[in-house]
Amino acid sequence: MMSSAKELLQKTMEGLQKLSQEKSQYITTREKLVTQLSENTMVKKELELVKEEDVVFKQIGPALVKQDHTEAKGNVQKRLDYIEAEVKRYESLIEEKDKEIVGQQEKATSLKSKVDEEMKQQQQQSVQ
């Protein structure tokens, strides 16, 4: 029969594993966003090299559609702003997860000590 401390330790460890998986998903999403940020930054730099009178095309599916230079710059800047905000949001989510993980680790360590102490007492009682 499992002690309540042992059951609680097991649940805490399962919670810790779940938190780690969530953090991993956040990190993966942040990495994708950083890649998009890099790509869009390059597009912005390319658009800065283009003259106002030059023709700019936007790919929509398999087709290239003519786009106004100013509109293209504006769209890229909006995308950059959005992606930057999302990166910051995911960084704060990762920080929050880290804090939760530390809390769960401390709880698990405390429970492990308690379980070890209970097992030690049971061994001493069985010896007597």
Side-chain angles (χ1 to χ4, degrees), residues 35-44 76 79-80 83:
T35 300
Q36 290 176 0
L37 184 64
S38 175
E39 291 169 354
N40 281 280
T41 301
M42 286 190 303
V43 170
K44 181 180 178 186
V76 171
R79 244 190 338 260
L80 283 170
I83 294 169

Side-chain angles (χ1 to χ4, degrees), residues 12 16 100-112:
T12 302
L16 187 57
E100 287 180 51
I101 287 171
V102 167
Q104 285 288 88
Q105 287 172 333
E106 290 171 356
K107 184 178 177 182
T109 302
S110 171
L111 287 168
K112 176 77 170 116

Side-chain angles (χ1 to χ4, degrees), residues 8-64:
L8 196 53
L9 176 61
Q10 186 175 0
K11 287 180 183 176
T12 302
M13 294 305 290
E14 289 169 0
L16 187 57
Q17 186 176 14
K18 183 181 176 202
L19 288 172
S20 293
Q21 288 172 344
E22 289 172 1
K23 179 184 172 190
S24 179
Q25 289 173 342
Y26 290 161
I27 290 171
T28 301
T29 301
R30 184 191 62 189
E31 288 171 351
K32 288 178 184 176
L33 287 167
V34 168
T35 300
Q36 290 176 0
L37 184 64
S38 175
E39 291 169 354
N40 281 280
T41 301
M42 286 190 303
V43 170
K44 181 180 178 186
K45 287 178 184 176
E46 289 293 320
L47 283 173
E48 288 171 358
L49 297 174
V50 174
K51 297 175 188 155
E52 287 289 326
E53 62 273 2
D54 290 343
V55 180
V56 176
F57 291 92
K58 176 180 181 177
Q59 184 173 359
I60 300 177
L64 290 176

Side-chain angles (χ1 to χ4, degrees), residues 61-114:
L64 290 176
V65 179
K66 207 176 201 182
Q67 190 175 30
D68 178 59
H69 186 266
T70 308
E71 182 183 346
K73 276 182 148 179
N75 288 343
V76 171
Q77 187 58 52
K78 286 178 190 174
R79 244 190 338 260
L80 283 170
D81 293 342
Y82 172 77
I83 294 169
E84 287 170 352
E86 284 296 290
V87 167
K88 287 178 185 175
R89 185 172 78 86
Y90 273 92
E91 285 174 350
S92 78
L93 287 171
I94 291 167
E95 285 178 25
E96 288 174 22
K97 257 336 139 184
D98 279 336
K99 290 176 185 174
E100 287 180 51
I101 287 171
V102 167
Q104 285 288 88
Q105 287 172 333
E106 290 171 356
K107 184 178 177 182
T109 302
S110 171
L111 287 168
K112 176 77 170 116
S113 298
K114 192 173 184 177

